[in-house]
Each structure stands twice: as structure tokens, then as C-alpha cells.
Amino acid sequence: MSLTSAYQHKLAEKLTILNDRGQGVLIRMYNIKKTCSDPKSKPPFLLEKSMESSLKYINKKFPNIDVRNKSSSPKILGVHVIFSLFFIHSHFQFFPQDHVYELLNTIDACQCHFDINLNFDFTQSYLDLIVTYTSVILLLSRIEDRRVLIGMYNCAHEMLHGHSDPSFARLGQMVLEYDHPLKKLTEEFGPHTKASSLGDEALLSLHFLFVRRNQGAEQWRSAQLLSLISTPPAMINPANSDTMACEYLSVEVMERWIIIGFLLCNGCLNSNSQCQKLWKLCLQGSLYITLIREDVLQVHKVTEDLFSSWKGYGKRVADIKESKEHFSLSFLSGQFHCQRRQFLRMAVKELETVLTDEPGLLGPKALYVFMALSFIRDEVTWLVRHTENVTKTKTPEDYADSSIAELLFLLEEIRALVRRHIKVIQQYHLQYLARFDALVLSDIIQNLSVCPEEESIIMSSFVSTLSSLNLKQGNWREWRRKGLLRAYTSVAKAPLHLHENPDLAKVMNLIVFHSRMLDSVEKVLVETSDLSTFCFHLRTFEKMFTMTLEEPTMLRYAIAFPLICAHFVHCTHEMCPEEYPHLKNHSLHHCNSFLEELAKQTSNCVLEICAEQRNLSEQLLPKHCATTISKAKNKKMKQKQTPRKGEPERDKPGAESHRKNRSIVTNMDKLHLHLTELALTMNHVHSFSVFEHTIFPSEYLSSHLEARLNRAIVWLAGYNAATQEIARPSELLAGVKAYISFIQSLAQFVGADVSRVIRNALLQQTQPLDSCGEQTITTLYTNWYLEGLLRQASSGTITLAPAMQAFVSLPREGEQNFSAEEFSDVSEMRALAELLGPYGMKFLSENLMWHVTSQIVELKKLVVENMDVLVQIRSNFSKADLMASLLPQLTGADNVLKRMTIIGVILTFRAMAQEGLREVFSSHCPFLMGPIECLKEFVTADTDIKVRDRVNIFELASAAGVGCDIDPALVAAIANLKADTSSPEEEYKVACLLLVFLAASLPLLATDPASFFSIEKDGYNNNIHCLTKAIIQVSAALFTLYNKNIETHLKEFLVVASVSLLQLGQETDKLKTRNRESISLLMRLESSFLTLDMLESCFPYVLLRNAYREVSRAFYLNRVAASTH
């Protein structure tokens, strides 16, 4: 047979096409099996009760189903069934049975010679075809509803079209024949096994290779496998082999070839001892082999069941039992593979370290790289396969590896290294092909004893092509032509026999490998290191990940699990596109879950260290220094201080750093070590792709860290709604600074943008709710200051002390109150502003203003009730006799004063908070504060500017904490009040009468014992000194809204108030006048709207001076009396 005649059969082309198609059909069969086994994806009509009788009839009568017989015909809807079963039925139609047997007959007729060592591609394709075909048949027999699916589709087709489906007869016969698949396959392959050299040549050629690949860890170690530094002089020598592709051939693939091959070609097991040895060795290696994905073949059981049904195979059945027992004992068992994985961890780590340091060695040592990847892949798949299926064992630890993450990590590192330096590999092999391989091939061609003209021309073209190669040109066509040539020189009647020229075969193997290093590196990477099997063993995958997280030394390798999710894209096949979304979702879901868990653990560790740092920082707070000062004072005075009972001895700050022995490991040490491991895994890769999605691990960490930091800040506040307890703002600020300072120090270690994390977290704390919908410190402190501080100030248990610039708690017998000054002094207000920021302070102001406006609404109601009397008082305030009769007619005067005092307390607290904000803003942004203050000072009462523009400028200043004559927040709050049907003129009248009401009611305050002015506090215990703040601010806001002159109305208030207070001096009742001097001090109105001349004309300063003198004298007399008592 000439080469041209051999080419006409196109054996290599047909093998390639049928293998690819067979793989697609196998995936389709798997898809049908999974679809029909899951009730969620199963065709719905198969689950309907109305269809049960039809399904039973089809299953029973298959394939002889009489649709025309009404008594027994299935009651189905044709269109509905055809639509549901169309894709499933199309899977069965793709079955290439006839093409497979036709090609096998052609190969038998050509008497092809198969040897994996000489003709790798041809032999591999041949064995793959047999195994793929057998796997399809076995998988078909595992589809329980195969008869129902095919039969029902045919019935529906016949009801709609009047005739059976053209493919039904062939499919029906095939389903019946393969009810017992292995027996039928052995019968069909009988002629082929006799005529072909499947067992005697193809399978037996695997013997040497299979034995070598199943050596133990000790043999690998003694041979210094994969070591580049064992022989330093040979480090740069190219790694070559007579069988290049065989060196990284998968052991699992060889096991599948041997087991299935000898199931079909079982006759040679009795006739050939070498075949027996190879078969027994394979039986001792695995309990299961993979058909497709997670579908496996239980080797010993299936083989024993088949051989037991035949005569003359008793010895083989005994061999099977012996091999199974041998596996369970020691050899090639879990312990054997555990030792191999342990060796690979050390050897591949050394290989990766050397190649990372010297990437130029990737060129000459490329074979070592792919061998290492293949060995790791074999061990991992073996472990996964047996972990998933071996459920009952006395040694479960043999099928669990807590260090598997390191092996997976090394595999990913080698893959990344190859991809990063692929140009090195290509350039090296380009020169190798042109300067060495071409010369060697030319010499061998010249030394051939027989070289026909056609083969000579082809091989000469190889030499010329190799000599002129370049990277842009590509080389896949040439090594493809070499594969075809090797296929046709394996035909029995070919003029040039490859097995008679082993040197030529070895050189061609070498050239093919070097050619693949030019333009098929990625494909070889997939062949040697694809771990997409995890996509179908997700339970085992997750279990391995959990074990890794539980092993502290393996945490740094945990990033390998999300990286392996990128392998799942290799599971897809163009013949089954409907699987793509499902596989994509699986891959992304598990990648996300792994990264989420890693980010969660990392953020937890970071926050635990932050909490420790905060505890250390808390020791430096001023409140803890009293004990130290007391001890130092007593030591100086040589006095002994007896510790209180139950009080623990407090260590000095920094004592935790003193160690007598470095081996003593503290909790902080453990946390830092744990964080180091997690940071290594999270910071290992910047990004990677999974199904066209780009994944950034740092983003997962940033989101988790941000959420945890938000919760931690709220936790630091220590708010207790039941007891109304909360941390002081200054203490919280110190804790937050401790957290932030540590997180900032992690910027270069964790790979996350910690500045953005801190910025986002702190910014969210200035809003009422964070991104998760949880309350923030802004909400907590706003609620606490309103309910815990200001409400008690309104009830009289807390008073404002202007001299201390803070609220002070008044002592009450039998009551234990918190110290209000610890939450409201200047430093606390500054800390509060630092924490809440301008946004948070605005939210606080809005809530304060809501309470103010609610009081104003009630005040307006009281004014309306006393409208007539107030109008008369406003007109006749200078007439003492008439005023004496009008004042008793006012109702709710005490209520007016009380509500106005509450407004004053709230506005005073807001002014204190605003002052804290101004100081913080000035320190952070002085370059902004200057222009804002300048603009605010530019706008005065005499400035010709619109009211709206004036309020806008004041709003800008208020946002920076600058105090304004007209409070824009109060103006906006009053403007938002829903007015009733009254006109603006009536609203303006109510505002004027409100001031008259307040002025006329001031004398009533003299009767209150708490209205005595305290020199120490510069205020009153009942907080009436806040009235002046309320009167000025509310007046300014009201008359700004009504666009009236503020000074005029404040002057009217002064006149009425001074007359009322002066008339109080004529009162004869001592109870009504006992605090007259203290009340007179309320006329110290300080406002830019009031001038000194105006104040002097209304209430002379001499009266204020006399009032001060009397109040001071009374205060000191009371103090002397109290001290004497």
C-alpha cells in the first residue's frame, strides 16, 4: 500500500473528528441523565399523574408501541411533548455508532501498528475512541427513562405527522441491545480484538510507562525526580526523552484505557502473561475510574460480574479479588498516594522556586514543568475520585488530605509562571527546532535504509520548514503533518514502517513536543493541569477548602481554591451549549463563596487585632491615670495605700511588651501570625478571570472590612437602649483612632485599599443608616442626647453651666444620675463633631429643630387662646392699673415659659455642638474656614441682599460650625411647618404677640425657688438663662420668614419686659418677689440686633449692676451658712 493509498482512508482525521464528536455525545448523555434524575429539571409531564398509565404502557411495549390502538394508546399531547423532548431526543440522534464501527473495520483491514512509545498521537486517538464509545454506551444504559423518552417522542411525532420518527427504529433497537452494555460490547468487539492489535500491541505498549508512573515516593526521591539542582552542571541541559508526550500522560487516562480495553479484549488476559501483569497492576491502583465527570465505573465489581458470567475466567475472578484485597492493604492505597503527594509538595516547591528565580530555565526544562503539573493533577484527581466514592473504610484519613491546598497552590503557581514567561519558552524552542532538530532529522533521513520518494519529499519539507521557522509563522500545520505521517507509516503495507525505524520515531516525538511549545503551550497546560473535575465534586471541593481553613499553616495557600474555579470553563463543549450557563453559575458561585469566606476570616482577624489595640489604647486614657498619680504621691509622702476590696491590680501601659522568654506566645502574636497567613493568600493575585468575569480578591476584603468596621464602631459606642448608657464621645474617638491607625498600617500587606475602606466606613457613620441598613453612631448619639441629656435638662435634673461650658447634673437624694458634664463639655463636643462630621451634625441639628418646632406649634396655640388679652397688653403695657387687671387673665403663662426654656436648652446645646464642629473644621480645613468666615462676616443687617441669599450664606457657614445671627436650620424648620388656614398677616401677628406673652410672663419666674442665679454656674438651676437664647433665635427666624425688621420687635420685647420687671418692684407679696434680682439678670440680652444704647434705654445697666451685687451677696451668705452647718 502506497502512502497515497493510506492517505485516502484518512485514519488520523477520522479518529480526531470521531473523538471530538464522541466527547460531545458523552457530555450530552450525561446531561440527559442529570436532567432526568433531578425532579426540578425533569420534563414536567413525566411527573404528572395523568401520564402514569401512558408512561407505563410505553415502557412495557417499547419499542413496539401501537399509537393507533385507542384502547392502549398513550394519552398525550403531541405538540407539548415534542417541544419538551426535542433537545433530549436530539442528543440520542447524535450517536455515531455506525461511523465508529466503520472506522474500526478500516483500521483492522489496514493492519495498523499501535505503540504509544513510537506513535503517540495515533495510538492515543485509537484508545480514546474505544474508551469514549464504551463510556457512551455505559452512560446510555444508566439513563433510567431512556425508553420512555424515546418512545414518547416517537408517539407524539406519529400523532402529529402520521408516521414514526425516521430514527426511532435504530434508536429503539440500540436501546434494547444495550440493556446489558458490557456483554453486548464484548460481542461486538470480538471480531475487532481478533483482527486488531488492541491488546497485544496498543495496551501492552503502556506496560513500561504505566509501571514507571506508578512508582512510590521513595523511588521518586532516590531518582531525584523533578530536581533541577541535583546535578548543577546539567542544569541548563535540555530535558529530553524518547517518549516526550508519554512523560506527562495522565495515569487516570491510562487506567481507563487498560480497564476498558481489557474488558473488551479479554481473551488476551488468558493468553498473554504480560497483559495479565499490566491488568492486575491497574486493578491494584484504583477502585474507580471515571467515565465522564462524576460518573465512575466501579472497577472490581463490574469486571468481576462480567467475568463471572463466562466460563474459563475463574482465575481472572480470583485475580480481581486478590487485587482488591491488595489495594485495601497497603500498596497503591491511600497511604501510598499520601506519600507521593508529600514528595510532590517538596519537589514541585523546589522546582517552582528555582524557575521563579531563573525563568530562563523554562526553555530547556519545559518537560519537567509539564511532568510536575501532570503528577499533581493525577494525585489530586485520584484523591477526589476516591474521597467521593469510598464511603466505608477503616482508614478514612487515607482519603483526606489537610495539606492538599499547598499542592493546588503549587499547580497554580507553575501555570502562572508558564503563562508569564511564555515568550521565553517559545523563543528557546524556536531556536532549538531550527538549530538542532532540523539537523538531527536531516541526518536520520539520509541514514534511512528505505525511504520512498513520497515520504522523502515530505520529510525534506519538514527539514526546510524547521530551518526557517519564526514565531509569527506558527508551526501547528507542520506538527499536524508529522502526526499524519506517523499515522500512515503505522499501516502494515506502508513502504516505510515506523516501528522498524525507532530513531525516526523518537526524533519525530521530540520535534512534535518542541513544535507544541511554539503555539500550543496553553493547550498543553490544559492537558496536564486541568482540574475541572472539581466542578462535579463540589462537596469534596468545599470539604477540602474547609479543612484548609482549619489548618493554620495552609491558610496562605487557600487562594488556590477560587483560582481553580477558573478551570471549570474547560468542562464546556460546543455540542452541549445549554450547559454553559449552569457551569458558569456553579463556577462563579463557588469562587465567590470561597473569596467571601477568606475575606470574612481576614476581616475578623483584622478587627480582633484592632480590638486588642483599642484595649491597649484605652489604658492611656486620662481617666486611668488617677491611680498612678495617687500611688506616686503616696510614695513621695511615704504613705502606704491599701487597695480597695474587689479592685483588680492594674498593670502599667506597656507591661504586655515585657517578656522573660520569647517562646511565650501571646494572643496578639497568634493573631498577627494568623493575619500574615491570610494576607498572603488574599494578596497573592491582583485579579483573575472566571468565565469572562474578572475577579478582584481585594474587593471582597474591602467590602467585608468596611462592613465589619462599621459594626465595630457602633459596638465601641456601647449603646444600651434599656439603661440609656453610651460611651463618651472622647473615649469612642480614641477607640476609633486605634482601629484606624492599625488598619492604615495594613495598607501594604492586605492588598486592599484601606484608605477607601476607612473613608467609606467613617462617611457611613455620619449618616442615619449604613449601607446594610443598620443604625450608625450618628443615630445613636442623636437619640441619646435628645432622650438621655436634653430630656433630663428639660425636667430639671440637669442644668446648663455657662461658666463651665457644659451641662451639669444636679445632685438628687436617692437617685444616681450620670455625670452630664462628662458628655457635654468642650472636649466631648469636639470629639462628637469629629465622629459625626458635618453630615452627622446636620442630622443632629434636624432632629433638634424638630423638637423646637413642636414646641413652637404649642406656643402658637397658647398665643391664639390668649389673643384678645395679649392685644390689650401690647397696647397698654405702660398702664400699671390696666396691666394689673389684664395679667391675671392670661392662661398658660407658666407653660409658655417652660416651653420657651426647653427651646433655649435645645438651641444652646446645638450652639455648643456647632462650636465643636467649628474647631474641628478649622483644624482639618483651615484654608476653607477662612473664606467661609469672611463671607459670613460680610453679610450684616445693613447688607443689601435678598433674604434667600442671606439664609444660603448662613447655611454654608452653619455647615462649617460658624455661629450665625439667623439660624438657617431653625428658619428652614419653621418654614416647613404646615400652617393652617390663617393668613401670613395673622401668623405675623401671632409671632409679635408671642414676644409680648413672654415679656409679660417673666415676673412669674420670680416665684420659683430654682430661679436663683448661681455665680459658680453663671446660670439658674431651672435653665431659665436659656430663655434669652431662645427669644433671640426664634425671633430672628420668625421675622426673617415674614421679612420684618428683627430689631424693632426685639426692642418691643425689651420695653414690655422691662416694664413688667420694674412693676414687679412695686409688688408687696414677698413670695412673688423673692428672686426679683435674679430674674432681672435675664435682661442681659447679647445679640447683634441689639445695641448698648437700646438696652440702656429699655433697662438701665445700673439695675443690672445692683442685681448682680445683691445676687452675689446672697450667694456667698448661703455658702457661709451651708459651710457652718
Side-chain angles (χ1 to χ4, degrees):
M1 181 184 292
S2 66
L3 187 61
T4 306
S5 176
Y7 269 132
Q8 291 175 354
H9 292 297
K10 299 187 181 298
L11 300 180
E13 291 90 335
K14 290 179 180 179
L15 281 172
T16 303
I17 293 171
L18 282 178
N19 273 322
D20 183 65
R21 187 179 182 86
Q23 194 64 26
V25 171
L26 188 58
I27 292 175
R28 280 175 171 268
M29 291 297 166
Y30 169 86
N31 195 28
I32 295 174
K33 179 175 176 291
K34 293 293 288 185
T35 301
C36 295
S37 61
D38 187 359
K40 296 181 180 179
S41 59
K42 198 171 187 176
F45 58 84
L46 293 180
L47 303 173
E48 296 176 5
K49 291 186 177 181
S50 59
M51 298 294 293
E52 285 184 4
S53 59
S54 299
L55 298 178
K56 289 180 180 179
Y57 170 77
I58 292 174
N59 199 35
K60 181 179 179 181
K61 296 294 184 179
F62 185 87
N64 301 317
I65 306 169
D66 188 5
V67 181
R68 299 175 184 177
N69 188 352
K70 296 182 180 180
S71 62
S72 59
S73 62
K75 300 176 182 179
I76 55 179
L77 296 174
V79 176
H80 175 61
V81 173
I82 283 183
F83 182 77
S84 300
L85 292 178
F86 175 76
F87 290 104
I88 295 178
H89 187 265
S90 65
H91 294 350
F92 291 109
Q93 288 181 323
F94 279 103
F95 197 71
Q97 183 183 23
D98 297 337
H99 299 288
V100 171
Y101 284 118
E102 179 185 348
L103 180 58
L104 291 177
N105 289 331
T106 304
I107 290 175
D108 291 344
C110 292
Q111 298 179 1
C112 295
H113 176 80
F114 296 104
D115 190 332
I116 198 73
N117 301 300
L118 297 179
N119 194 348
F120 178 84
D121 295 319
F122 192 42
T123 307
Q124 180 192 34
S125 299
Y126 175 69
L127 293 173
D128 278 344
L129 179 65
I130 294 173
V131 169
T132 302
Y133 178 74
T134 306
S135 300
V136 170
I137 297 298
L138 291 174
L139 209 60
L140 174 64
S141 66
R142 296 183 182 185
I143 301 174
E144 296 180 358
D145 298 323
R146 59 188 180 280
R147 293 190 178 194
V148 172
L149 295 172
I150 296 173
M152 182 166 285
Y153 180 85
N154 182 65
C155 291
H157 189 280
E158 189 168 348
M159 294 175 104
L160 285 177
H161 302 287
H163 60 83
S164 297
D165 179 62
S167 61
F168 175 69
R170 181 178 64 85
L171 291 176
Q173 185 63 29
M174 182 183 66
V175 169
L176 288 179
E177 289 177 351
Y178 290 113
D179 269 348
H180 301 285
L182 286 176
K183 288 186 177 181
K184 180 63 177 176
L185 283 170
T186 53
E187 293 175 6
E188 291 182 345
F189 270 86
H192 299 293
T193 56
K194 293 176 183 178
S196 70
S197 53
L198 172 61
D200 293 333
E201 292 184 357
L203 295 178
L204 200 55
S205 68
L206 296 170
H207 189 277
F208 175 76
L209 176 62
F210 190 73
V211 171
R212 182 158 55 86
R213 291 293 297 276
N214 280 284
Q215 290 176 346
E218 286 302 322
Q219 292 172 292
W220 281 357
R221 193 171 287 109
S222 62
Q224 294 185 326
L225 188 69
L226 303 178
S227 177
L228 298 182
I229 59 177
S230 59
T231 53
M235 185 178 290
I236 61 173
N237 293 346
N240 290 330
S241 169
D242 293 340
T243 55
M244 296 292 282
C246 295
E247 301 301 329
Y248 53 83
L249 178 61
S250 171
V251 173
E252 183 185 5
V253 170
M254 287 193 283
E255 288 178 340
R256 198 180 303 130
W257 288 346
I258 294 169
I259 295 297
I260 294 179
F262 283 126
L263 280 175
L264 303 180
C265 183
N266 46 69
C268 61
L269 293 176
N270 291 329
S271 59
N272 192 320
S273 60
Q274 291 296 321
C275 291
Q276 266 185 49
K277 291 179 182 179
L278 177 61
W279 176 66
K280 288 174 67 175
L281 181 61
C282 189
L283 288 177
Q284 293 170 0
S286 295
L287 294 176
Y288 300 89
I289 61 170
T290 303
L291 294 179
I292 177 71
R293 295 172 177 176
E294 78 270 25
D295 271 286
V296 296
L297 189 68
Q298 197 170 349
V299 175
H300 301 85
K301 183 179 183 303
V302 170
T303 311
E304 185 178 349
D305 292 344
L306 180 64
F307 287 1
S308 298
S309 63
W310 294 334
K311 293 181 180 180
Y313 282 85
K315 291 183 178 180
R316 303 291 77 79
V317 173
D319 290 338
I320 295 170
K321 294 180 179 178
E322 180 186 349
S323 299
K324 186 175 181 181
E325 184 68 21
H326 202 278
F327 177 88
S328 61
L329 291 176
S330 61
F331 182 65
L332 288 179
S333 62
Q335 191 62 32
F336 173 83
H337 285 275
C338 181
Q339 293 172 1
R340 299 218 309 182
R341 290 194 298 273
Q342 187 175 357
F343 167 80
L344 285 174
R345 275 192 286 271
M346 300 301 296
V348 179
K349 190 172 185 179
E350 176 192 299
L351 178 68
E352 186 269 335
T353 303
V354 173
L355 292 178
T356 302
D357 187 57
E358 295 291 342
L361 291 175
L362 281 169
K365 302 299 181 182
L367 181 62
Y368 279 15
V369 170
F370 295 112
M371 286 172 61
L373 293 175
S374 180
F375 292 170
I376 293 176
R377 189 265 319 275
D378 286 338
E379 291 305 315
V380 171
T381 54
W382 186 95
L383 182 64
V384 170
R385 196 164 66 247
H386 288 78
T387 301
E388 190 80 15
N389 295 285
V390 178
T391 55
K392 296 180 180 179
T393 177
K394 295 180 181 179
T395 56
E397 64 276 4
D398 290 345
Y399 303 101
D401 189 351
S402 60
S403 303
I404 192 67
E406 185 177 0
L407 214 53
L408 300 177
F409 179 83
L410 290 172
L411 180 135
E412 286 296 329
E413 280 292 273
I414 295 289
R415 285 165 58 96
L417 197 63
V418 171
R419 290 194 176 106
R420 194 180 311 127
H421 300 290
I422 192 171
K423 294 293 184 184
V424 174
I425 298 174
Q426 290 177 335
Q427 191 64 37
Y428 177 85
H429 287 93
L430 177 68
Q431 298 179 18
Y432 201 100
L433 283 166
R435 299 179 184 180
F436 180 81
D437 288 341
L439 301 178
V440 173
L441 181 59
S442 177
D443 291 341
I444 288 180
I445 293 173
Q446 293 175 5
N447 295 329
L448 285 176
S449 58
V450 177
C451 186
E453 183 181 355
E454 293 183 52
E455 285 83 346
S456 177
I457 294 172
I458 292 175
M459 286 190 285
S460 298
S461 70
F462 290 163
V463 174
S464 61
T465 303
L466 292 175
S467 302
S468 58
L469 273 179
N470 59 70
L471 286 176
K472 295 181 179 179
Q473 175 184 342
N475 198 41
W476 69 270
R477 294 183 183 274
E478 290 306 317
W479 70 257
R480 180 65 186 156
R481 286 176 62 196
K482 294 181 184 68
L484 295 175
L485 179 63
R486 288 189 297 170
Y488 300 124
T489 53
S490 299
V491 176
K493 296 182 181 181
L496 177 64
H497 292 285
L498 197 61
H499 63 90
E500 295 176 356
N501 297 277
D503 291 338
L504 176 61
K506 294 173 184 177
V507 171
M508 292 181 74
N509 283 334
L510 190 65
I511 293 174
V512 168
F513 175 77
H514 292 164
S515 301
R516 298 188 76 185
M517 291 300 98
L518 288 186
D519 49 17
S520 300
V521 176
E522 185 64 33
K523 186 176 180 181
V524 179
L525 275 179
V526 174
E527 289 178 8
T528 55
S529 61
D530 177 38
L531 290 178
S532 57
T533 183
F534 278 117
C535 186
F536 309 99
H537 297 89
L538 295 173
R539 187 168 60 89
T540 302
F541 198 31
E542 293 168 356
K543 184 178 178 181
M544 288 179 174
F545 180 70
T546 304
M547 291 172 61
T548 299
L549 296 184
E550 294 171 355
E551 186 68 32
T553 58
M554 290 293 112
L555 282 175
R556 64 174 60 190
Y557 308 120
I559 191 63
F561 289 90
L563 290 177
I564 285 174
C565 292
H567 295 208
F568 296 175
V569 71
H570 304 308
C571 300
T572 59
H573 197 279
E574 59 184 7
M575 287 183 66
C576 197
E578 57 270 24
E579 272 192 336
Y580 188 88
H582 177 70
L583 295 175
K584 178 180 178 180
N585 292 336
H586 263 305
S587 180
L588 291 173
H589 169 72
H590 281 82
C591 181
N592 288 333
S593 65
F594 292 149
L595 287 173
E596 289 281 354
E597 185 61 29
L598 288 173
K600 178 182 176 182
Q601 290 216 10
T602 307
S603 60
N604 288 346
C605 186
V606 169
L607 268 297
E608 285 182 27
I609 298 177
C610 286
E612 293 284 344
Q613 293 285 354
R614 179 249 180 182
N615 292 337
L616 297 177
S617 173
E618 189 180 15
Q619 297 177 12
L620 300 175
L621 291 178
K623 66 179 183 179
H624 295 309
C625 69
T627 306
T628 305
I629 295 173
S630 177
K631 287 181 179 179
K633 183 178 180 182
N634 293 333
K635 185 177 180 180
K636 186 176 181 180
M637 297 176 65
K638 298 182 180 180
Q639 294 180 359
K640 291 186 178 180
Q641 183 179 9
T642 56
R644 297 180 182 178
K645 293 183 178 180
E647 183 178 356
E649 186 69 22
R650 188 181 296 275
D651 293 331
K652 290 184 178 180
E656 70 282 346
S657 299
H658 298 162
R659 306 191 204 188
K660 295 181 179 179
N661 188 351
R662 189 61 187 87
S663 62
I664 299 174
V665 180
T666 65
N667 184 46
M668 187 74 87
D669 294 334
K670 295 177 182 177
L671 289 173
H672 275 94
L673 182 61
H674 191 62
L675 179 60
T676 302
E677 298 292 325
L678 289 169
L680 284 173
T681 196
M682 291 301 296
N683 204 21
H684 179 67
V685 291
H686 177 259
S687 64
F688 60 96
S689 297
V690 178
F691 277 90
E692 297 100 28
H693 288 253
T694 303
I695 309 296
F696 293 88
S698 59
E699 292 301 315
Y700 289 83
L701 179 57
S702 297
S703 61
H704 272 271
L705 204 55
E706 183 180 316
R708 281 302 311 274
L709 184 57
N710 272 320
R711 291 197 294 270
I713 292 174
V714 173
W715 175 80
L716 286 175
Y719 179 66
N720 189 329
T723 60
Q724 284 294 309
E725 294 179 355
I726 199 168
R728 295 170 61 182
S730 59
E731 294 180 4
L732 175 59
L733 181 61
V736 170
K737 286 183 176 180
Y739 271 63
I740 291 175
S741 62
F742 176 74
I743 293 176
Q744 284 177 331
S745 68
L746 298 177
Q748 57 183 335
F749 302 112
V750 296
D753 187 356
V754 294
S755 298
R756 189 188 67 186
V757 169
I758 295 171
R759 186 169 58 250
N760 290 349
L762 294 181
L763 187 60
Q764 288 182 45
Q765 290 303 313
T766 66
Q767 305 299 316
L769 300 174
D770 61 16
S771 58
C772 299
E774 301 291 333
Q775 286 187 337
T776 62
I777 57 173
T778 295
T779 302
L780 297 181
Y781 276 103
T782 297
N783 294 337
W784 187 86
Y785 274 106
L786 285 170
E787 301 298 328
L789 184 75
L790 296 180
R791 186 174 293 277
Q792 292 190 43
S794 303
S795 62
T797 58
I798 293 176
T799 184
L800 173 67
M804 300 172 61
Q805 297 186 31
F807 285 88
V808 180
S809 297
L810 297 176
R812 295 291 179 93
E813 294 183 2
E815 295 184 9
Q816 185 176 1
N817 294 330
F818 69 96
S819 299
E821 56 271 23
E822 293 183 359
F823 292 84
S824 59
D825 62 10
V826 175
S827 61
E828 298 302 326
M829 290 294 101
R830 191 183 297 120
L832 182 68
E834 185 90 32
L835 290 168
L836 270 56
Y839 289 113
M841 297 300 286
K842 182 181 180 182
F843 177 78
L844 175 63
S845 296
E846 289 173 352
N847 280 267
L848 293 173
M849 292 308 159
W850 182 88
H851 286 77
V852 170
T853 53
S854 63
Q855 298 295 333
I856 291 176
V857 170
E858 298 300 321
L859 287 172
K860 287 184 177 181
K861 291 179 181 178
L862 292 172
V863 171
V864 172
E865 291 176 7
N866 297 275
M867 179 78 74
D868 297 336
V869 179
L870 290 173
V871 170
Q872 295 183 49
I873 290 175
R874 187 182 186 188
S875 302
N876 304 289
F877 62 88
S878 59
K879 300 176 182 178
D881 299 336
L882 188 58
M883 286 289 289
S885 61
L886 290 175
L887 287 176
Q889 297 180 25
L890 291 175
T891 59
D894 291 335
N895 198 1
V896 169
L897 292 171
K898 180 67 175 175
R899 293 185 181 279
M900 206 63 180
T901 302
I902 293 173
I903 293 175
V905 169
I906 294 174
L907 292 177
T908 304
F909 172 77
R910 181 174 182 271
M912 294 167 60
Q914 287 291 101
E915 179 61 23
L917 177 61
R918 187 191 67 80
E919 292 183 12
V920 172
F921 198 83
S922 297
S923 63
H924 285 304
C925 306
F927 51 88
L928 281 179
M929 181 59 77
I932 291 174
E933 290 179 337
C934 181
L935 182 62
K936 182 258 178 184
E937 294 296 332
F938 175 76
V939 178
T940 61
D942 300 329
T943 306
D944 186 13
I945 189 174
K946 294 181 180 179
V947 174
R948 182 182 299 176
D949 295 335
R950 186 191 302 269
V951 172
N952 289 339
I953 293 173
F954 286 156
E955 186 174 357
L956 170 65
S958 179
V962 179
C964 302
D965 298 331
I966 302 173
D967 193 336
L970 184 58
V971 172
I974 297 175
N976 290 332
L977 288 176
K978 293 183 178 179
D980 49 13
T981 54
S982 58
S983 62
E985 290 76 10
E986 292 179 357
E987 288 290 322
Y988 167 65
K989 182 180 179 181
V990 170
C992 295
L993 294 178
L994 175 60
L995 292 181
V996 174
F997 204 161
L998 286 168
S1001 303
L1002 286 179
L1004 297 177
L1005 295 173
T1007 61
D1008 187 357
S1011 296
F1012 181 75
F1013 185 82
S1014 172
I1015 299 298
E1016 284 184 337
K1017 299 175 184 175
D1018 194 24
Y1020 305 82
N1021 286 346
N1022 58 359
N1023 288 318
I1024 59 174
H1025 51 286
C1026 297
L1027 273 173
T1028 56
K1029 182 80 170 180
I1031 292 169
I1032 293 173
Q1033 292 285 346
V1034 172
S1035 300
L1038 286 172
F1039 296 117
T1040 297
L1041 281 175
Y1042 304 139
N1043 201 14
K1044 302 297 181 179
N1045 189 279
I1046 301 171
E1047 296 179 7
T1048 303
H1049 294 86
L1050 283 177
K1051 185 175 182 180
E1052 182 183 10
F1053 167 78
L1054 282 173
V1055 171
V1056 176
S1058 62
V1059 170
S1060 300
L1061 291 175
L1062 291 173
Q1063 289 176 354
L1064 186 62
Q1066 301 174 4
E1067 184 65 48
T1068 59
D1069 190 350
K1070 292 184 178 180
L1071 290 176
K1072 294 182 180 181
T1073 61
R1074 63 178 179 179
N1075 287 321
R1076 181 171 62 88
E1077 288 79 8
S1078 295
I1079 299 303
S1080 298
L1081 295 178
L1082 291 176
M1083 300 304 291
R1084 300 177 303 162
L1085 296 178
E1086 297 178 2
S1087 172
S1088 61
F1089 300 109
L1090 299 174
T1091 62
L1092 291 176
D1093 293 339
M1094 185 187 298
L1095 291 170
E1096 182 69 21
S1097 63
C1098 296
F1099 198 85
Y1101 187 75
V1102 65
L1103 298 177
L1104 290 176
R1105 186 171 61 249
N1106 293 336
Y1108 264 119
R1109 184 177 63 251
E1110 292 297 324
V1111 168
S1112 298
R1113 185 174 63 83
F1115 177 79
Y1116 286 114
L1117 287 175
N1118 291 337
R1119 171 180 283 187
V1120 170
S1123 62
T1124 304
H1125 177 72

